[in-house]
Amino acid sequence: MRRTKWLALGMAMAPFAAHAETPDGAAEAMAAASIVVTGTGLALPPGTPAYGSVVIDRDRLEDAASGRIESVLADVAGFQQFRRSDSRASNPSNQGATLRALGGNASSRTLVLLDGVPVADPFFGYIPFSALVPDRLALVRVTRGGGSGAFGAGAVAGTIELASATRDQMPHFGASAFYGSRDATELSASIAPDLGSGYVSLSGRWDRGDGFQTTPRDQRVAATVPAAYDSWSTNLRAVAPIDATSEIQFRGTLFQDNRTLRFAGADSVSQGQDASIRYISRGRWQVDALAYLQARNFSNIVISSTSFRKSLDQRNTPSTGIGGKIELRPPVGEEHVLRIGVDSRFATGDMYEDAYNAGVASNPLTSRRHAGGDQITSGIFAEDDWTIGNLVLTGGVRADRWSIRNGFYKAVSAAGLVTQDSAYANRSDWEFSGRAGALYHVSDAVALRGAAYSGFRLPTLNELYRPFVVFPITTQANAALKPEKLKGVEGGIDLTPASGVQLSATLFYNRLDDAIANVTIATNTRQRQNVNAIVAKGVELTASAQLPADFSLLASYAYSRSKVDAPGMAFDGFAPAQVPRHSASAMLAWAPKAGPELSATLRYVGKQYEDDLQSDVLPDALTLDAIARLPIGHGISLVARGENLFDEDVVTRNAGGSIDLGTPRTLWIGVRFGQ
C-alpha cells in the first residue's frame, strides 16, 4: 500500500516526454493556423445566469484551510453532505451532496460533474471528495434548483460543475508539503509540460493522519480509536489540438481512500479508476462529445458497539459506470444559442458481505449475502437561449428512458442453507422534464431573473438492494422504490451597486415528490421508503465585494423552511432529517499584490435532526478557519492553516445519545512551490 502511494507521488514529479506525428502537410497547416488550446468545454449559454449560479474561482479553491473541496463548497450556503464531517472522518458512503434543504440522503441529489462527466459512485451515489483535489481545478459552478441539459437526470437539487485547471493556470512544476495536528501530513506535486501544440498535466496527492477522537470523552471505551485516514490520488490530463477550432481532451484518475471510524477494526476502503475522453469543436457547428468509464469498489467492516467484535464485513462492492453524450450547437443566428443532444448512463454493481455473531466470543459467521442489479438512463435534450436586447429567455426539455434490471438479494447461512433468494422484476418507464428562465437587465446595476424547472432521480442500487447497520439502527433496503420527481420555481435579483460589489437574492419553492427517506418502522429499525413529498422553500443571499486596502469579502446565507408532506405518518409536517433551517458562510481576505496574504472563513450551521421523528438533535455550530501565506521568493511560499480555531464541538451523528463529533481545532504548517 505504502509503495503504491509513493509511486503515485513519484509519477507526479517525474518529467516525461512524448512525440506525436502528423500526416504530411498537417504540421504546416497547423503552424499556419492560429490554434488556441484551452482545455475547457464550450462557452456557457447566455441564459445560464437566469438560474442563479454561484461561481467559486481558482483563488478561493487554493485558499481552503482544510485543503478539501467539500470545505470550499460549504461557501455556498445550503450545500450539505449527509453528515457534517468532511472526507477524513466520515464513512465514504455517507458523502452524498445535496442543496436546497431537500433532506439528508447518503446518495447525491445534486448532479456533480467534472469536465462534464458525472462523478458519483455507480452503486452508492456518493461523491469521492478525497479524489477531487482543489489545486487541479479552475473553478466550480453551483446551480441550485432542478437541472436539464446533458445528464440532467439526477439533478433534482441542483448541479455542481467542476472544471479542470487550464494550461495558463498551472505551474510547469508545483509541489506542496504540510504537517498538521495529530501527526497529519499532506503531500502533493504536479508537472504540466507543453506537448506539441497541446499540453499534459500529471498530479498526485497523498494525505494521512492519526485522526481525532470522533467519540466524546464520556462515551469512549477501550476499543475506541481516533478516525485515522490514509488516502492518495493521481490524475493525468492531456489536451491536444486537432485543428484551429477543435481539440481532444483526456483525463484519467486513480484513487484510494482508507479510513477507520470510532472502533478499532472499523476500517473502510474506497477506490476507483476513472477515465474519460472528450472532443470539443468551437467551429460554426459547435460539438461537445464525451465518453467515460468508472471502475469503483468499496469495503467496510462494522464493529459492534456493545461487544466490540466484528458484526458485518462488507468485503467487496465492485461497480462499473459507463456513459457518454453528444451535444450539438448549430448556427441559428447571433440571438440564439441552441443546444441539442443525447446522453446515456449505465451502472451495474454487486454487494458481497458477511454477517457475524458479535455476541459470541468466537465471533462466528452467520450469513453470507450477495445483492446487486443494473440501471440505465438514456435521454434526449434540447435547450435554446434567445437574446432580445436586455432580455434573455432560456428554456429546455428532456425525455429520458430509464430501466432498473436484474435486481436480486440472496442470503446463505454459515451452513450453506439458502435463507433468502429474491429476484426483483425489471422496471422501465419514460420521464419528461424541463426548465425555463428569464433574465432581464434593468440597467448595468440591476438584473431580474426567474425560473421554473422539473427533474427526477432514480434510486441508487444501494438504496434498492443493500440494507445496512449503524448500531443500534438497522436500515432496510427497498427494491420497490420509485424515482424522485421535483418541481420548483424561483425568482431573484442581482445588484452591482458599485464597481467590485455584487449582491444577489433568490426566493425559491421546491417540491420533491416520492422523496426517498429512511423511515422508522419499528424500534431501532428503519426502511428506505418513498414519502409523499418534501417541500422546501426559502431565501438565499450572496455577496462579494472588493474592499479598500486590498481586502475582499465573500458571504452567503440560506434560510430554508422545509417540511415533510406525509399524510397519516408520524413525521408529517416535521423537518426532513439532516436539514438545518439556517446556514451561513463569510470569508474576509487580505491579498496585496506583493507580500503576505491572510484570509478567515466563518461558518454557521443551524440545529438539525438526525432522524425522521426529530428525536435526536444535532445542535447548531459556529466554526472559524484561517490561512496565511508568506511568499519568500523563487516561487516558494510558507503557508499556515487553521481549522475550527474555536475548537467547537460539531455533532455529526446522534443515534439515541450515541454521538460522533466533527473536526476539532487542527493546525497546519507547510511550504508551497510553483514555477
Side-chain angles (χ1 to χ4, degrees), residues 102-226:
L102 287 174
N105 193 314
S107 302
S108 289
R109 286 192 167 115
T110 299
L111 175 65
V112 181
L113 302 171
L114 174 57
D115 297 330
V117 176
V119 300
D121 183 88
F123 186 89
F124 292 93
Y126 70 80
I127 307 302
F129 285 115
S130 64
L132 303 175
V133 180
D135 291 353
R136 298 172 185 163
L137 302 176
L139 59 83
V140 176
R141 179 177 296 101
V142 180
T143 304
R144 293 171 283 204
S148 191
F151 300 117
V156 294
T159 306
I160 298 175
E161 300 168 88
L162 298 87
S164 292
T166 57
R167 179 65 191 88
D168 60 331
Q169 294 172 315
M170 297 179 293
H172 284 86
F173 176 76
S176 66
F178 287 88
Y179 182 78
S181 303
R182 297 171 291 279
D183 197 27
T185 56
E186 176 192 305
L187 303 176
S188 65
S190 65
I191 185 170
D194 294 326
L195 185 63
S197 298
Y199 64 90
V200 172
S201 66
L202 180 64
S203 62
R205 174 163 157 166
W206 176 33
D207 302 87
R208 67 153 305 279
D210 292 343
F212 61 90
Q213 289 282 2
T214 61
T215 308
R217 188 175 299 276
D218 61 355
Q219 295 185 5
R220 296 174 194 168
V221 296
T224 303
V225 295

Side-chain angles (χ1 to χ4, degrees), residues 250-327:
F250 170 83
R251 180 176 55 82
T253 302
L254 307 177
F255 67 88
Q256 181 163 308
D257 191 331
N258 306 272
R259 307 180 198 176
T260 299
L261 299 175
R262 198 173 176 88
F263 299 121
D267 303 326
S268 68
V269 180
S270 61
Q271 56 187 342
Q273 303 87 41
D274 294 2
S276 65
I277 188 166
R278 188 180 193 186
Y279 168 75
I280 297 289
S281 175
R282 301 179 181 88
R284 188 166 179 268
W285 277 75
Q286 297 184 42
V287 181
D288 184 353
L290 65 85
Y292 70 87
L293 171 67
Q294 300 167 325
R296 305 282 181 85
N297 206 337
F298 173 78
S299 63
N300 181 55
I301 295 176
V302 179
I303 300 296
S304 166
S305 62
T306 53
S307 68
F308 312 111
R309 302 186 186 98
K310 179 167 58 177
S311 62
L312 186 67
D313 183 359
Q314 299 166 249
R315 53 188 172 84
N316 194 18
T317 316
S319 63
T320 302
I322 302 172
K325 77 156 186 177
I326 300 175
E327 177 183 320

Side-chain angles (χ1 to χ4, degrees), residues 455-474:
F456 81 101
R457 180 185 76 90
L458 284 184
T460 63
L461 298 172
N462 174 59
E463 292 170 319
L464 291 165
Y465 308 125
R466 173 185 165 266
F468 70 95
V469 178
V470 178
F471 188 88
I473 308 297
T474 298

